[in-house]
């Protein structure tokens, strides 16, 4: 009874904070929140862990290593997150994806770490990661098997959650393979309840691939939910996934986020301009920032992108409103303006050139939600400088092919109608 009462109190506080945020924003920021940056579909959480007030940040094994993982890779990556300074910027989850366990459970029905690749066990690895001030994540599946045919957790939720909690696990990515045709709305809640029951705070990341539109229901289950299929390290994949995730912008908020999958920055399949756009749009969309490259051997270029404090701050802004595409022009709509409100009466904006040639892109105040008479200062987040002190009506910039420019607009005065 006490736990139920506490859960109700937490829910009431969360609701109150959310409505206060929306109300205050609508009153003082000269943007038509209800028309352009609608958050009315945001689902109020039932997962009782207090996490994800901003999108999660960290690193995962899958995009670079796939199944070629072992405990040395995990330890060295934890060390590299510290030495590169990435950990100090908020990348604090070290997540092991598929292939960490043996092909079968033991006689007690428990998952067992692969003795060849994780001979010290996952608890010892968690202790090591924790000693660095970081957090450890594991992977499982809401099906009979994982995607790489290791044991899944369907019908084993209670025992698996208790085992992970005993190891000191901080994060669970929960996949969707071999799901026996059962609806995800039935398969994912039992793990939420099992994680809550352990008494350990464990981030719950649903990986349902957007098959059954999880934005419509997952806010009542987990801290984030995949809205798309797996990303791959190509320009075509990245921009397609951004467009799909954009559709669900009104459903994200503090405690639960749309997840367009992990970052490919640094893996070599895109150029500098494309990776810069990838990182900028993910940050604007309040997506989880999960690094997917080999941090131990990260290039200076990739580190520069992933370490951009100004862009990270947009992703981690406490207002928690997902930015979205607000305007497109040019051939096939390849000249795009994306924007979203921030705390402290500010607006984040990305001019994204998806054309094959450099282009001049203009953002008009009406299109991004500002009143035409509002004067703003414009800070360039990649140049790290203010490029205009008092701009009224619109802003224009030349953008490289497949490139982007990202800005924060701070109103110099608020119109009376918006106060």
């Amino acid at each position: 009874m006490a736990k139920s009462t506490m859960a109700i109190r937490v829910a009431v506080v969360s609701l109150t904070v959310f409505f206060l945020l929306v109300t205050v924003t609508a009153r003082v920021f000269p943007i038509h929140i209800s028309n352009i940056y609608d958050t009315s579909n945001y689902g109020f959480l039932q997962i009782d862990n207090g996490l994800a007030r901003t999108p999660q940040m960290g690193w995962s094994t899958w995009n670079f290593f796939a199944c070629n993982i072992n405990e040395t890779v995990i330890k060295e990556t934890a060390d590299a997150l510290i030495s590169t300074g990435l950990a100090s910027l908020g990348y604090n989850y070290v997540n092991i994806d598929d292939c960490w366990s043996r092909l079968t459970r033991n006689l007690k029905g428990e998952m067992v770490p692969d003795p060849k690749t994780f001979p010290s066990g996952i608890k010892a690895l968690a202790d090591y990661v924790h000693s660095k001030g970081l957090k450890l994540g594991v992977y499982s599946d809401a099906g009979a098997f994982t995607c790489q045919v290791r044991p899944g957790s369907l019908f084993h939720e209670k025992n698996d959650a208790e085992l992970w909690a005993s190891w000191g696990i901080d994060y669970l990515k929960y996949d969707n393979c071999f799901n026996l045709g059962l609806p995800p709305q039935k398969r994912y809640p039992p793990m939420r309840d099992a994680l809550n029951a352990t008494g350990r705070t464990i981030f719950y990341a649903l990986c349902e691939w957007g098959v059954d539109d999880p934005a419509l229901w997952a806010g009542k289950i987990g801290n984030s939910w995949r809205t798309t299929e797996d990303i791959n390290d190509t320009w075509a994949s990245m921009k397609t996934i951004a467009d799909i995730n954009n559709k669900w912008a009104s459903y994200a908020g503090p405690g639960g986020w749309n997840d367009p999958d992990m970052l490919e920055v640094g893996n070599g399949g895109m150029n500098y301009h494309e990776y810069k756009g990838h990182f900028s749009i993910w940050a604007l969309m309040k997506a989880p920032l999960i690094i997917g490259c080999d941090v131990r051997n990260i290039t200076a270029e990739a580190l520069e992108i992933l370490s951009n404090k100004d862009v990270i701050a947009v992703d981690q802004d406490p207002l928690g409103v997902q930015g979205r595409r607000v305007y497109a022009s040019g051939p096939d709509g390849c000249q795009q303006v994306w924007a979203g409100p921030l705390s402290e009466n500010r607006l984040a904006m990305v001019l994204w050139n998806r054309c094959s040639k450099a282009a001049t892109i203009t953002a008009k105040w009406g299109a991004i939600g500002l009143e035409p008479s509002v004067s703003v200062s414009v800070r360039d987040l990649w140049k790290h400088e203010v490029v205009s002190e008092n701009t009224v009506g619109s802003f224009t910039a030349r953008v490289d092919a497949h490139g982007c420019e990202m800005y924060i607009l701070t109103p110099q005065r608020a119109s009376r109608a918006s106060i």
Side-chain angles (χ1 to χ4, degrees), residues 127-209:
D127 290 343
Y128 183 87
V129 170
H130 291 158
S131 74
K132 302 292 180 177
L134 302 171
K135 300 177 181 180
L136 188 70
V138 291
Y139 164 100
S140 190
D141 194 289
F145 301 97
T146 72
C147 298
Q148 298 300 313
V149 203
R150 268 64 172 179
S153 292
L154 186 64
F155 309 131
H156 293 271
E157 294 87 356
K158 182 176 182 295
N159 289 340
D160 288 352
E162 289 176 352
L163 181 65
W164 300 327
S166 74
W167 290 346
I169 294 302
D170 305 292
Y171 188 110
L172 172 66
K173 175 183 173 182
Y174 205 40
D175 219 335
N176 194 37
C177 287
F178 298 99
N179 57 44
L180 308 184
L182 299 173
Q185 296 92 330
K186 298 292 186 182
R187 290 181 289 111
Y188 283 92
M191 184 57 78
R192 170 201 63 198
D193 298 338
L195 293 173
N196 281 345
T198 66
R200 183 170 179 81
T201 302
I202 300 175
F203 193 105
Y204 188 25
L206 281 62
C207 185
E208 190 264 358
W209 320 324

Side-chain angles (χ1 to χ4, degrees), residues 312-323:
I312 292 171
V314 171
D315 182 78
Q316 297 292 297
D317 185 77
L319 184 62
V321 177
Q322 179 174 324

